[in-house]
Amino acid sequence: VLVSKMVLSNSRFHRAIVVNSGNANACTGTNGHLDALKMINETADELGVNADEVFVASTGVIGEPLPIDKIISGIHSINPSLSETDFTGAVEAIMTTDTFTKSCSSTFQINGEEVTIFGMAKGSGMIHPNMATMLGFVMTDAGINKSVFQNLLKETTNKTFNRIIVDGDTSTNDMVIALANGASGVAVVPKTESYNIFEEELFQVMKKLSIDIVRDGEGATKVIEIKVEGAFTDEDAVKAARTIALSPLVKTAIHGEDANWGRIIA
């Protein structure tokens, strides 16, 4: 997370994300930091892009040194298998304790032109805002200003990934990254109908991924959506919903299919 934040601030453009699963490369000290930089540099060399254009993400066991030689070998074998249309390999590769892949795409019209948003995620345990133990990657061929997209991503994350709970625990490596390449030729401009359409489609893609994470919760047998009405503010509504969602008594009542409303009111 720290290295990717550095990358975000150092470059105007970003062209790649390198991800490993099985090892979080967290609590690994200076060597872990250097290994993350090696992943970026090797990926940049392999793809022919600048190192400050590559994000890095890791997920898995905390505190174990990264098997960096194995990862670098993997990076150098990736290029021949890259595809413009087949994303299944990448979606499968980022899984850890997930029992199924999590991806979603939406193709829609803006001003008569076709625009696509694609998203992929992993996560099933240690799920609780902010942001849960999860990685999420969103890509679109729309053209949108970086700061505008940043604000929209943050707002949408707060309404999706930051509103899911499985077990009340968070972890170390959580992030959502969104990339837009403008290949569709369609510009998404704030305070226009194009923005409203894009905002809604982005929300639906990220909501689907969020629900899939809950559905795949470690040991989960139920998916519950909590709706709060009549709150004075959104913050009050979220606080009420989160209190209910975190309650072990509510969870056991739902699991046992004897959902006494007194537990919810309490």
Side-chain angles (χ1 to χ4, degrees):
V1 174
L2 294 174
V3 172
S4 285
K5 286 176 73 173
M6 178 186 70
V7 169
L8 185 66
S9 63
N10 284 351
S11 179
R12 183 182 174 194
F13 298 106
H14 304 90
R15 304 183 190 279
I17 307 167
V18 56
V19 191
N20 76 276
S21 65
N23 187 308
N25 193 22
C27 305
T28 50
T30 301
N31 287 340
H33 182 87
L34 293 175
D35 285 344
L37 295 178
K38 286 178 185 176
M39 288 175 65
I40 285 177
N41 290 326
E42 297 292 336
T43 301
D45 288 344
E46 187 67 23
L47 299 181
V49 300
N50 296 328
D52 59 4
E53 296 174 335
V54 181
F55 290 113
V56 61
S58 299
T59 180
V61 177
I62 294 170
E64 293 287 336
L66 206 63
I68 190 63
D69 292 339
K70 182 178 180 181
I71 289 174
I72 289 175
S73 175
I75 289 171
H76 290 305
S77 69
I78 284 174
N79 217 356
S81 63
L82 290 179
S83 169
E84 294 186 5
T85 55
D86 183 12
F87 53 81
T88 54
V91 177
E92 292 171 354
I94 65 172
M95 294 168 63
T96 50
T97 58
D98 305 66
T99 63
F100 60 84
T101 58
K102 300 168 181 69
S103 65
C104 180
S105 66
S106 175
T107 299
F108 50 96
Q109 298 278 323
I110 292 180
N111 298 328
E113 300 292 333
E114 199 171 84
V115 176
T116 297
I117 300 174
F118 168 77
M120 55 188 277
K122 63 77 56 179
S124 57
M126 298 179 80
I127 304 297
H128 173 64
N130 299 313
M131 278 198 11
T133 304
M134 55 152 290
L135 300 176
F137 308 114
V138 177
M139 285 142 277
T140 179
D141 57 6
I144 183 169
N145 175 274
K146 182 177 178 179
S147 61
V148 171
F149 202 13
Q150 176 67 53
N151 290 334
L152 178 57
L153 180 66
K154 185 174 181 179
E155 291 172 6
T156 308
T157 298
N158 282 335
K159 293 188 290 186
T160 54
F161 293 127
N162 279 347
R163 288 192 183 170
I164 58 174
I165 289 174
V166 171
D167 43 35
D169 284 312
T170 58
S171 189
T172 52
N173 290 49
D174 325 315
M175 69 171 76
V176 172
I177 295 173
L179 302 176
N181 63 17
S184 66
V186 176
V188 174
V189 182
K191 300 181 180 179
T192 67
E193 184 62 18
S194 68
Y195 184 89
N196 296 337
I197 294 170
F198 185 83
E199 180 180 34
E200 176 61 21
E201 295 295 334
L202 179 66
F203 171 74
Q204 293 300 333
V205 167
M206 292 174 64
K207 180 181 179 182
K208 168 66 165 57
L209 295 173
S210 300
I211 292 173
D212 278 352
I213 289 172
V214 174
R215 210 156 50 90
D216 198 26
E218 292 173 350
T221 60
K222 306 283 192 297
V223 176
I224 303 300
E225 182 177 3
I226 299 170
K227 295 184 179 181
V228 180
E229 297 179 353
F232 287 115
T233 65
D234 286 349
E235 289 76 16
D236 284 350
V238 170
K239 185 176 181 180
R242 194 161 290 172
T243 301
I244 294 166
L246 272 173
S247 166
L249 283 179
V250 171
K251 289 181 181 182
T252 52
I254 297 293
H255 176 76
E257 300 180 359
D258 183 21
N260 184 288
W261 62 268
R263 294 188 176 190
I264 297 170
I265 295 299

